[in-house]
Amino acid sequence: MATVTLKSLFNENRFPRGLSLIIFLLYFPFGVLLACVRLLVLVQACLLASALSEVPVLKSYILLCVCQVLGIVVQEEDVSHKNTQARILVSNHVTRYDQLPLHVATGCVTPHAWELPSCLDWALGVKDLSLRHGREALVSAVRGHLSKDPRPVLFHPEGATTSGRRGLLRFSTWPFGIVGSVQPVALTAHRPVFASLAPSVVGASHLADLLWFLCAPYTVFTIRYLPLMQRAGDETEAQSSSRVAEAVAQRLKVVCTNYTSADKAEFEKRLQLDRSTTAGRAAPRTDPVLQGMADRVAEVLPDVPLDVILRDVGRTQSVDATIANILDGVVPYTPLRTPRSTPAPAASAAPVPEGAGASSSFPRSAQDRMQSFQFRKARLIETARRKYIEKHNLTMADVADFAC
């Protein structure tokens, strides 16, 4: 299996680069206008579906309207492999709206966990099949559906969207134990060069994907059918899922990976944390007051990285509180291999706000600085204790009993 990193499986940036970005910026005003018009049409279609949900002829109309609103264009390839008797379809997952083109092409339904009116369920090609209640309830509901409804059920075994260009997430095994055969489908999505927005972006919300769908001129979904795949008698669900995944990956000219949807969720958390940390690091450096306070902390603790100090000073707004946090282990850090030299006297440093708790100068030796810090720390604790006693009208005996 080719080596593919988890990061390379997803789009982190929705917008194109270079000349394509310039072209998109020229198109963008028209895209905003198009999104507004489409949003109005979509709302009207939903209202119409709710008012006339008992009229069967509306199904095809509403579905066509929804696809037109979202700019969905469906193309089918390898139609000779399309099996109308297939009961389970499995497809890779490239956008949050993959069920729409597949529903248009095959009439399938997709399990979902949304709270939607029944009229919108069949208009969007989705169905409540107890997805929220776990695997056993879902499998039971799917079997019940297949026993009385001719429409096949579509599954995305990856469990999360990818870019579809480098590799597939590992397929879940449970869809392959429902019936003896499945219809594999390889799905791709692309947009025109002048609006080549990524259909899905790691960390993006459902609303963001929908708005950019409305803004894009159109999105072409290409459905490539693979031959119906039977599960061998001695084949496990895991073996069957791996075999189908390999077939889909080969058709898409990508590779299978061992990454799962849970790995993607963890990657999204790390990405959001890194972005927030980067933003947090940049803010204090632009504030001369916080920079001055951080420099004073650095005089006492020269082996602590400055960015660590800046982040905590930005949170505490206090020199003494940050020093205490670092010494008490509240703020983790990796000590500098070579401690920074003690800065020049802070006469030109930015002034420390009143109440910061720092004196105007620090002793020269490290031992004297530590003694001074311990004294000021004890004084702060004593002040806090006295204020607490005064606030709650306590006596020293009460405090002693509480401490015991």
Side-chain angles (χ1 to χ4, degrees), residues 148-344:
K148 57 186 178 182
D149 195 318
R151 295 177 296 173
V153 180
L154 168 68
F155 292 105
H156 300 295
E158 290 180 284
T161 59
T162 70
S163 66
R165 296 192 303 267
R166 296 294 305 276
L168 301 179
L169 297 175
R170 189 171 65 198
F171 278 17
S172 299
T173 60
W174 61 267
F176 301 91
I178 299 176
V179 296
S181 61
V182 298
Q183 171 83 73
V185 174
L187 187 68
T188 59
H190 72 273
R191 288 170 173 161
V193 176
F194 63 90
S196 55
L197 302 169
S200 64
V201 179
V202 62
S205 65
H206 284 269
L207 179 60
D209 281 353
L210 175 60
L211 292 177
W212 287 114
F213 246 99
L214 296 174
C215 185
Y218 59 86
T219 304
V220 179
F221 286 91
T222 302
I223 303 173
R224 298 176 175 89
Y225 297 97
L226 280 73
L228 196 71
M229 299 185 69
Q230 298 282 346
R231 179 182 172 188
D234 58 347
E235 192 176 41
T236 65
E237 293 179 11
Q239 291 171 334
S240 180
S241 67
S242 297
R243 186 161 59 90
V244 173
E246 288 287 352
V248 174
Q250 184 176 2
R251 187 65 182 84
L252 293 171
K253 298 181 180 179
V254 298
V255 299
C256 293
T257 73
N258 286 323
Y259 301 118
T260 65
S261 57
D263 294 324
K264 180 185 178 180
E266 186 62 28
F267 175 72
E268 287 180 329
K269 292 179 181 178
R270 293 200 307 269
L271 185 64
Q272 293 174 356
L273 180 61
D274 291 343
R275 288 173 178 173
S276 61
T277 301
T278 301
R281 288 177 179 176
R285 295 181 184 274
T286 62
D287 190 330
V289 174
L290 293 179
Q291 185 67 52
M293 295 170 67
D295 289 340
R296 292 179 180 274
V297 175
E299 292 181 20
V300 180
L301 304 170
D303 63 334
V304 181
L306 188 59
D307 61 334
V308 174
I309 298 173
L310 280 167
R311 285 201 303 273
D312 198 68
V313 166
R315 183 178 60 85
T316 64
Q317 300 290 313
S318 169
V319 172
D320 282 339
T322 293
I323 294 176
N325 287 341
I326 295 174
L327 293 179
D328 293 341
V330 176
V331 178
Y333 70 95
T334 301
L336 297 173
R337 293 184 178 180
T338 305
R340 70 178 67 83
S341 58
T342 302

Side-chain angles (χ1 to χ4, degrees), residues 6-225:
L6 179 63
K7 180 178 180 180
S8 66
L9 296 179
F10 316 112
N11 295 309
E12 293 188 50
N13 185 17
R14 191 180 300 275
F15 304 101
R17 297 181 179 179
L19 180 59
S20 297
L21 178 58
I22 297 176
I23 297 174
F24 169 72
L25 292 177
L26 296 175
Y27 162 79
F28 183 69
F30 301 97
V32 173
L33 179 60
L34 180 62
C36 294
V37 173
R38 283 174 166 173
L39 187 59
L40 291 175
V41 175
L42 183 61
V43 171
Q44 292 177 3
C46 293
L47 293 175
L48 182 61
S50 300
L52 304 174
S53 58
E54 300 301 325
V55 183
V57 73
L58 282 178
K59 178 177 180 179
S60 58
Y61 167 74
I62 295 176
L63 181 60
L64 178 62
C65 182
V66 170
C67 289
Q68 291 294 330
V69 166
L70 293 178
I72 291 177
V73 179
V74 181
Q75 294 181 347
E76 296 181 272
E77 295 182 4
D78 303 324
V79 183
S80 60
H81 296 315
K82 184 178 180 180
N83 193 316
T84 57
Q85 303 302 316
R87 308 297 286 138
I88 298 292
L89 280 71
V90 293
S91 168
N92 60 304
H93 205 6
V94 292
T95 78
R96 287 191 168 108
Y97 309 102
D98 291 348
Q99 79 278 358
L100 285 174
L102 287 164
H103 179 54
V104 170
T106 66
C108 64
V109 297
T110 305
H112 75 96
W114 310 329
E115 294 291 342
L116 295 176
S118 58
C119 59
L120 292 182
D121 279 348
W122 52 254
L124 297 176
V126 296
K127 187 173 182 178
D128 186 359
L129 293 172
S130 301
L131 181 60
R132 295 183 297 272
H133 304 294
R135 171 174 176 170
E136 293 184 3
L138 175 60
V139 171
S140 177
V142 170
R143 286 174 174 165
H145 165 85
L146 295 177
S147 66
K148 57 186 178 182
D149 195 318
R151 295 177 296 173
V153 180
L154 168 68
F155 292 105
H156 300 295
E158 290 180 284
T161 59
T162 70
S163 66
R165 296 192 303 267
R166 296 294 305 276
L168 301 179
L169 297 175
R170 189 171 65 198
F171 278 17
S172 299
T173 60
W174 61 267
F176 301 91
I178 299 176
V179 296
S181 61
V182 298
Q183 171 83 73
V185 174
L187 187 68
T188 59
H190 72 273
R191 288 170 173 161
V193 176
F194 63 90
S196 55
L197 302 169
S200 64
V201 179
V202 62
S205 65
H206 284 269
L207 179 60
D209 281 353
L210 175 60
L211 292 177
W212 287 114
F213 246 99
L214 296 174
C215 185
Y218 59 86
T219 304
V220 179
F221 286 91
T222 302
I223 303 173
R224 298 176 175 89
Y225 297 97

